[in-house]
Amino acid sequence: MTNSSGRSAAIAAALIMGGFMLLFFVMPSIMIWLGNISPWIAGVFGLAAVLSFFLIFWLRARHQRRKG
């Protein structure tokens, strides 16, 4: 791994983490709002948000392995 490749991976990971930090910061408000409509929708949203965190990093690692 070259220095520029390592730097771009760190920047990408930082941007992904920052995006998810923002999502998880506003997630309680979104879930309360969705819970007023249906508790099931709020639960599905919470589950999707948490699973997407792991899915993004899994897909990125898979892409990096395939890339070389």
Side-chain angles (χ1 to χ4, degrees):
M1 185 182 330
T2 65
N3 190 18
S4 107
S5 174
R7 185 173 299 154
S8 74
I11 291 170
L15 289 174
I16 292 169
M17 289 295 291
F20 276 106
M21 284 173 53
L22 180 65
L23 173 68
F24 290 144
F25 181 75
V26 298
M27 194 165 124
S29 301
I30 295 171
M31 288 189 68
I32 289 171
W33 178 72
L34 288 173
N36 290 331
I37 299 169
S38 168
W40 287 100
I41 295 174
V44 168
F45 171 75
L47 181 66
V50 172
L51 288 178
S52 69
F53 177 78
F54 295 105
L55 179 68
I56 291 290
F57 281 107
W58 177 74
L59 287 173
R60 177 152 171 78
R62 186 173 177 203
H63 174 72
Q64 291 297 330
R65 267 183 274 149
R66 192 175 292 187
K67 188 176 171 183

